[in-house]
Amino acid sequence: MNFSKKNSYLVSLLISTKNRLQDLKECIDSVLIQTAKPSEIILVDASDTHESMEMVKESLMNKGIKLTYYKQEVVAGKIRKTATWNKVVRSALGDIIIFLDDDVVLEKDYIYQILKTYHENTENGIIGVMGRFKNPRDKENMQKERPFLYSLKVALYKYFLLPHEEGNGFMQPSGFPTYPTLRNNIIPVEVMPTGNMSIKKEVFREFTFDEWFHGYSYQEDDDFSYRVSRKYKFLYTPFAALVHKGSATARDNIETLEAMKVINHYYFFKKNMPKSLKNWLAFIWSECGLLFLRCFSFSSLRNLSLSLVGLTAFKNFPAIKGRIHGYNKILRSLLIKKDIEP
């Protein structure tokens, strides 16, 4: 098939950001060198100032890319990211909407390869395509310099049915996805992360993001994509690559973050997964695994040794405390027979 690098689909990039001016600039810079340009960038901004908007506006000047700006909706002190997304996608210019995190850097053919995958699968009813996450250089160096520690960590994440990069893009019985990061061929998947997800706009006539999720909204992307995949098909392409830097800027404190991850995982599991004994045991096993792994550090052999005598667990006490708080909240909701709140 003769596929030109000129867009035959209109593309909107939806980027959510909060107080990450430098990360966002690097992301926008990588968009501007794409071989297939988007028609629109939708900036959903939860920043304390308007610096992000001004920077993106200046960057896009005379580039032929429309900037659509939304100030993030906040209700009772809580960021309602999914509620804002549901509003903005309805008025997006694009036939295809690509969701990106503000701390990703796209390889120059990222958008082109996403569109190429759609074009080459028009008869297969493909409604969504995700690309490949590439590790930042420091993580790649860790894998090369400390392969034993990396392999041990991956093995433990697999053993406890936790998210890991050596998967097939499908949901596990625990309610955690796997990611096809190491796959070198185009394959079907059933979950896509919103930091690296494209989907046809027409999907939003039928599906919306669950507005129960607030703030950072851990697993809101699993919830949305998994529900859509029950009816439609997604693909993963390794040829559309981006680097996710995993910026630590503007994140919640670790205790709050860990509690939220526990609660959101429980909410996702209870809402979406079959309630078989096998699945419930897998859910409990995965949460036991996460609590166990919070007591260990895999950054070096020395730190792993310190973990074995409990010193790392002491340092990670806020994370462990946050998880226990999440478990307590789940138990309280079960005792009073009330739906859990975020």
Side-chain angles (χ1 to χ4, degrees):
M1 184 182 72
N2 182 20
F3 176 65
S4 169
K5 289 192 177 185
K6 181 180 178 181
N7 290 8
S8 52
Y9 287 110
L10 291 179
V11 175
S12 294
L13 298 187
L14 195 160
I15 306 173
S16 293
T17 189
K18 181 183 178 182
N19 297 332
R20 289 180 180 172
L21 189 63
Q22 184 56 40
D23 290 316
L24 180 61
K25 186 178 188 311
E26 291 179 26
C27 177
I28 295 298
D29 287 345
S30 73
V31 171
L32 294 177
I33 63 169
Q34 291 295 297
T35 54
K37 299 289 194 301
S39 301
E40 174 185 36
I41 290 178
I42 303 170
L43 188 67
V44 179
D45 189 8
S47 302
D48 298 327
T49 70
H50 287 88
E51 285 184 283
S52 295
M53 179 192 68
E54 295 299 333
M55 181 274 293
V56 176
K57 184 178 179 180
E58 183 177 345
S59 297
L60 297 186
M61 193 173 296
N62 301 320
K63 296 297 192 298
I65 300 173
K66 179 184 177 183
L67 171 62
T68 302
Y69 180 81
Y70 288 89
K71 191 64 179 174
Q72 177 65 69
E73 184 178 347
V74 179
V75 176
K78 292 184 177 180
I79 293 174
R80 302 188 72 241
K81 183 170 71 173
T82 51
T84 305
W85 284 352
N86 286 333
K87 291 180 181 179
V88 305
V89 293
R90 297 188 191 111
S91 57
L93 293 179
D95 309 300
I96 292 174
I97 301 173
I98 300 179
F99 291 78
L100 298 174
D101 286 342
D102 58 359
D103 58 349
V104 301
V105 177
L106 313 181
E107 292 199 344
K108 66 179 182 179
D109 274 358
Y110 177 85
I111 296 177
Y112 168 71
Q113 292 293 344
I114 292 288
L115 296 177
K116 184 171 183 283
T117 305
Y118 279 108
H119 276 277
E120 292 179 346
N121 292 276
T122 52
E123 296 178 0
N124 298 331
I126 299 303
I127 207 81
V129 176
M130 69 170 287
R132 179 184 212 157
F133 279 119
K134 293 183 70 175
N135 290 324
R137 188 167 297 174
D138 57 345
K139 190 171 181 180
E140 284 186 350
N141 290 340
M142 187 189 81
Q143 292 178 14
K144 292 175 183 177
E145 295 169 6
R146 298 182 286 277
F148 168 73
L149 292 175
Y150 174 76
S151 299
L152 176 61
K153 185 176 181 180
V154 170
L156 287 169
Y157 269 67
K158 287 182 178 180
Y159 180 65
F160 285 113
L161 303 177
L162 302 174
H164 59 270
E165 297 177 347
E166 297 185 0
N168 58 5
F170 278 65
M171 188 62 63
Q172 301 176 101
S174 61
F176 279 127
T178 66
Y179 301 107
T181 304
L182 302 183
R183 299 294 184 104
N184 294 316
N185 56 316
I186 295 174
I187 59 170
V189 294
E190 64 181 11
V191 285
M192 299 190 295
T194 46
N196 178 14
M197 176 180 87
S198 74
I199 196 156
K200 290 185 177 179
K201 182 182 174 181
E202 64 196 66
V203 168
F204 296 102
R205 299 175 193 156
E206 196 173 345
F207 292 90
T208 58
F209 288 95
D210 187 339
E211 296 183 11
W212 178 91
F213 292 95
H214 287 72
Y216 169 55
S217 302
Y218 179 70
Q219 286 203 275
E220 89 291 349
D221 45 5
D222 297 334
D223 173 76
F224 175 76
S225 58
Y226 185 70
R227 284 187 287 115
V228 176
S229 72
R230 302 303 86 196
K231 185 172 181 179
Y232 298 108
K233 298 176 182 178
F234 300 147
L235 289 179
Y236 156 83
T237 173
F239 307 111
L242 55 75
V243 174
H244 184 213
K245 296 182 295 182
S247 176
T249 305
R251 291 197 185 274
D252 292 332
N253 68 70
I254 190 66
E255 184 176 332
T256 301
L257 194 60
E258 289 293 320
M260 180 202 62
K261 286 182 176 182
V262 170
I263 294 163
N264 287 21
H265 180 212
Y266 171 75
Y267 176 81
F268 170 85
F269 179 90
K270 189 176 179 183
K271 175 183 175 182
N272 294 291
M273 302 301 293
K275 306 307 181 295
S276 65
L277 178 61
K278 173 187 173 182
N279 283 3
W280 274 115
L281 290 175
F283 170 82
I284 294 169
W285 178 246
S286 67
E287 284 297 333
C288 288
L290 278 171
L291 189 61
F292 171 73
L293 289 172
R294 289 298 180 268
C295 299
F296 291 84
S297 171
F298 297 89
S299 59
S300 68
L301 283 171
R302 180 177 180 276
N303 285 337
L304 182 61
S305 300
L306 292 174
S307 301
L308 298 175
V309 295
L311 293 180
T312 305
F314 176 76
K315 291 180 181 178
N316 289 345
F317 181 71
I320 296 169
K321 184 180 176 183
R323 300 201 72 81
I324 292 172
H325 175 72
Y327 301 141
N328 286 336
K329 192 169 181 179
I330 291 171
L331 288 173
R332 286 198 302 271
S333 73
L334 291 171
L335 289 173
I336 63 175
K337 297 181 180 180
K338 184 180 179 182
D339 292 339
I340 196 163
E341 296 179 358

